[in-house]
Amino acid sequence: MYVPKELVPIYAKEEVKVADILTPNQYEAELLTGMKIASEEDAVRVIDYLHKEGVKIVVLSSTDLGSDDELISSASFATVRKTPRLYNP
């Protein structure tokens, strides 16, 4: 994530809830969720968490899972009902 580290909590608590699509890599997904990804099951858990936060499409763009000669990515689509939020600047 190309934001100052002071903004990461805001992204994790506020921006994720209004995103329709997220494409974090493993590092970014761990920052946004506070969960470590050490297995495919962990990756699924992180993706499920992001869906529960309201994200419709999650693409875990790259991970350290797998061997040195492969790149494992995951994509998931969920039907999520969001409570409408009003923008109030």
Side-chain angles (χ1 to χ4, degrees):
M1 293 177 17
Y2 300 102
V3 298
K5 66 181 177 180
E6 298 81 23
L7 295 180
V8 171
I10 294 168
Y11 274 73
K13 292 182 180 173
E14 300 298 327
E15 298 299 317
V16 166
K17 294 177 190 224
V18 297
D20 289 326
I21 301 170
L22 278 182
T23 59
N25 60 33
Q26 179 176 341
Y27 174 74
E28 294 164 336
E30 290 174 344
L31 281 178
L32 289 171
T33 64
M35 301 178 196
K36 292 303 258 175
I37 299 173
S39 66
E40 289 184 37
E41 292 80 16
D42 293 340
V44 170
R45 206 173 354 252
V46 165
I47 290 169
D48 284 344
Y49 172 87
L50 292 169
H51 283 314
K52 287 177 185 169
E53 288 296 304
V55 182
K56 292 178 186 172
I57 298 171
V58 179
V59 178
L60 192 54
S61 61
S62 63
T63 68
D64 291 334
L65 305 175
S67 65
D68 290 340
D69 61 341
E70 62 186 355
L71 174 67
I72 295 181
S73 298
S74 301
S76 178
F77 174 82
T79 303
V80 178
R81 182 182 304 162
K82 287 187 177 183
T83 304
R85 295 174 59 129
L86 298 176
Y87 178 68
N88 190 2

